[in-house]
Structures are given as C-alpha cells and as structure tokens.
Amino acid sequence: MAYKVLIINGSPHAKGCTAAALEEVCHTLENEGVQTETIHIGNKDVRGCVSCNSCGEKGRCVFDVNETAPKFEAADGIVIGSPVYYGSPNGTLLSFLDRLFYSTHFSKHMKVGAAVVSCRRSGNTASFDVLNKYFTISGMPVASSTYWNQVHGFTAEDVAKDLEGLQTMRNLAKNMAFMIKSFADAKEKYGLPEMERGSFTSFPDGL
Ligand SMILES: Cc1cc2nc3c(=O)[nH]c(=O)nc-3n(C[C@H](O)[C@H](O)[C@H](O)COP(=O)(O)O)c2cc1C
C-alpha cells in the first residue's frame, strides 16, 4: 500500500529555515516508506478569503488553491510549515490555508496533520497552535513529537545547527508514518467513525 503525505512550505524562501525543517521531515517519511510531495506556496501572490461563498456551491475556490486540493484529497497526511511573523504563521500561508480548508468539501477525516514552525527567537508555540486548529476542526488527528515541532534560525545554516529541532522533525515524521499506517489498518478493521452533521448553531438567540 502506498502512503502519501503532502508537505506545504508557507515561507517565501524556497531554501530557508522552514524548508530545512520540512526537508528533515520529508527524508524521514520517505525512509519510513511514505511518499511525499512538497509544494511551495509562500512565494505566491495569495489574497485572503473574501467570503464570497462561491465554494459553497461549486466546491472550489475562485483562487488557485484548486491545484493543491486534489493532492490534499489523495494524501493520507499533510505537513504545514511556516516561518513566524510577529508571533503568528505568515500571512500568505494563512490566506492559502483559509481558502484551501474552507473551499474543499472532501472528507479530511483521519488524515494526519502536522504543523512545523520556524522562528529566530520567539513566537513558535503561538504559531504552532494556530496551524493545529486547521486540523482539529477537520477531524484530523495531530501528529506530535518529542518537543513542539519547531526549529530556530534566521537562515537554513542556523537550522542545521539546531540539532534538537532537527531531531524533533525526525521523530515527528516517524510518529506520523506510524499513525498513517495504523489508521489504514484500523479503517480496514473498524471503518471510519460516523460523524453527526445535522446541527449548525450560530447562537441565534444570543444566549
Ligand atoms: C515580517 C517578519 C516577522 C518576523 N517575526 C518574527 C517573530 O515574531 N519572532 C521571531 O522569532 N522571528 C521572527 N521573524 C524571523 C523569522 O521567523 C525567522 O527568521 C524564520 O526562521 C524564517 O524562516 P524562513 O527562512 O523559512 O522564511 C520574522 C521575520 C519576518 C520577515
């Protein structure tokens, strides 16, 4: 059975710190028998979601996340990497993820999600929390590691010296591969749990 993970680099730098962390994840996943594809979106001109709700009818965004959507649908897991900008994931990535997650209606249930963040000094854990929320609203189990999934650096050379950060990336990938394989077995044995979808409550009474 071929397992696939989609890796998204949200940094504007193709060879920067986020890329260095993601490459470590990528190599370890491949060693664990999981195929990977990396997409670099941080250098693209991505506008924020304009809430046109066209995707509600068409199941696709008016913008160009549509090339990524089928890759996400086919994947058993996704790794999202971001540099930290003012204590948050970078804006281009957030615009991209809002569009990707909001516009796609295929089930993401039990696809494994992992967030990876890179900062020079601080703001990693807040950024990590933001990214994990895309997974936890989508029925996606979150892969973890032996520390929060973060590296430190201003350049890729700095990240190469962050030995614990890189170790965290390798351990993350091993856990992710294990989860993907285990969920595949469990889906065969038990099927996916059924989700209720009937209620959509927007606090109409203000209570
Ligand atoms: C606009 C901007 C804001 C930044 N804000 C932070 C920050 O809040 N905390 C921090 O430690 N580093 C901050 N940085 C540095 C980057 O997060 C850091 O260098 C990161 O590792 C770069 O990753 P990259 O090479 O993949 O782009 C900022 C950089 C930029 C360009």
Side-chain angles (χ1 to χ4, degrees):
M1 172 131 186
Y3 304 106
K4 288 185 215 150
V5 167
L6 180 64
I7 297 178
I8 295 182
N9 181 3
S11 165
H13 303 122
K15 296 277 173 206
C17 303
T18 309
L22 292 174
E23 274 164 29
E24 201 74 5
V25 176
C26 180
H27 291 148
T28 311
L29 282 170
E30 299 271 350
N31 284 342
E32 295 288 324
V34 177
Q35 293 172 6
T36 63
E37 178 176 355
T38 301
I39 298 178
H40 184 209
I41 62 95
N43 57 351
K44 304 271 188 315
D45 188 13
V46 187
R47 282 185 63 197
C49 173
V50 292
S51 189
C52 67
N53 283 316
S54 159
C55 59
E57 292 158 33
K58 295 181 185 149
R60 64 199 310 275
C61 186
V62 291
F63 204 71
D64 64 3
V65 297
N66 304 310
E67 285 169 27
T68 308
K71 296 178 183 197
F72 186 15
E73 185 172 17
D76 303 291
I78 190 167
V79 181
I80 298 172
S82 181
V84 172
Y85 284 7
Y86 292 96
S88 288
N90 66 313
T92 305
L93 177 65
L94 290 177
S95 294
F96 183 87
L97 293 176
D98 286 353
R99 288 177 179 274
L100 179 67
F101 277 78
Y102 199 71
S103 68
T104 51
H105 301 159
F106 57 80
S107 173
K108 299 159 188 80
H109 201 185
M110 295 299 155
K111 290 182 190 293
V112 178
V116 164
V117 288
S118 173
C119 79
R120 192 183 73 79
R121 295 291 295 174
S122 184
N124 262 339
T125 58
S127 307
F128 181 62
D129 291 347
V130 172
L131 293 176
N132 281 326
K133 290 192 180 85
Y134 288 92
F135 310 137
T136 50
I137 199 174
S138 307
M140 295 174 63
V142 175
S144 64
S145 185
T146 38
Y147 204 88
W148 295 307
N149 308 332
Q150 56 181 272
V151 294
H152 285 270
F154 195 61
T155 64
E157 290 71 34
D158 296 332
V159 173
K161 294 180 204 152
D162 181 2
L163 297 185
E164 184 172 357
L166 295 175
Q167 173 180 268
T168 304
M169 296 304 131
R170 293 191 295 275
N171 288 338
L172 167 66
K174 287 179 196 167
N175 283 344
M176 192 173 195
F178 179 85
M179 288 170 77
I180 287 171
K181 292 170 192 171
S182 304
F183 288 152
D185 286 353
K187 276 186 225 167
E188 291 262 308
K189 197 167 173 192
Y190 307 113
L192 284 172
E194 255 180 52
M195 296 291 104
E196 292 182 33
R197 296 280 181 198
S199 298
F200 183 76
T201 314
S202 307
F203 306 104
D205 300 317
L207 298 173

